[in-house]
């Protein structure tokens, strides 16, 4: 059984930084791409970042490019999302997901397992 557990969310000031983690189990982690998505209240879940199975290729949503870095440690079965210069539109529930394939994707349909999410809340 595949399990993904996110952590690292919390209250953060606009302009601040946050590092999210996602620990995976139940699947050979290093064979699959991983992704981060987010969902704000009243909005659909949206793509944030994805990383391929090696960690050598990453892709970002335009809204976070230059402020966010996705990385992975295959030895620890963990994927990370470093978020800097947080903007008011960044808060929401952040989900990590494991892809069906080795290469990253922006499409939620290409992911078959999802974590429960971690809340990122902005403070003024």
């Amino acid at each position: 059984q595949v399990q993904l557990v996110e952590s690292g969310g919390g209250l953060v000031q606009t302009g601040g930084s946050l590092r999210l983690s996602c620990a995976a189990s139940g699947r050979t982690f290093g064979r699959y791409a991983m992704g981060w998505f987010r969902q704000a209240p009243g909005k659909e879940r949206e793509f944030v970042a994805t990383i391929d199975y090696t960690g050598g290729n990453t892709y970002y949503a335009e809204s976070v490019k230059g402020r966010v870095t996705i990385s992975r440690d295959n030895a620890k079965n963990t994927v990370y999302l470093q978020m800097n210069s947080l903007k008011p539109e960044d808060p929401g529930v952040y989900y990590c997901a494991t892809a069906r394939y080795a290469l990253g994707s922006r499409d939620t349909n290409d992911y078959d397992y999802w974590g429960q999410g971690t809340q990122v809340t902005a403070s003024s």
Side-chain angles (χ1 to χ4, degrees):
Q1 182 178 358
V2 177
Q3 286 191 321
L4 301 173
V5 180
E6 301 98 335
S7 61
L11 192 65
V12 60
Q13 286 189 336
T14 300
S17 297
L18 205 62
R19 189 194 196 201
L20 307 181
S21 300
C22 173
S25 62
R27 172 181 271 186
T28 306
F29 181 77
R31 291 183 180 176
Y32 300 93
M34 298 292 295
W36 283 97
F37 294 77
R38 68 186 181 190
Q39 188 166 18
K43 295 187 176 181
E44 293 188 355
R45 192 170 299 187
E46 64 174 1
F47 166 76
V48 176
T50 185
I51 187 167
D52 76 354
Y53 73 112
T54 68
N57 292 290
T58 57
Y59 303 94
Y60 299 92
E62 286 298 320
S63 60
V64 303
K65 197 173 290 185
R67 302 187 295 113
V68 165
T69 302
I70 186 172
S71 61
R72 67 189 296 162
D73 186 337
N74 286 348
K76 295 183 178 180
N77 288 358
T78 302
V79 63
Y80 305 96
L81 189 72
Q82 177 67 45
M83 303 174 62
N84 301 320
S85 302
L86 261 70
K87 295 183 176 181
E89 59 266 32
D90 288 330
V93 179
Y94 280 71
Y95 299 91
C96 74
T98 180
R100 305 175 192 275
Y101 318 111
L103 300 182
S105 170
R106 302 168 183 263
D107 188 347
T108 56
N109 293 318
D110 288 332
Y111 294 83
D112 51 0
Y113 293 99
W114 295 79
Q116 293 299 307
T118 185
Q119 179 75 49
V120 174
T121 304
S123 65
S124 57

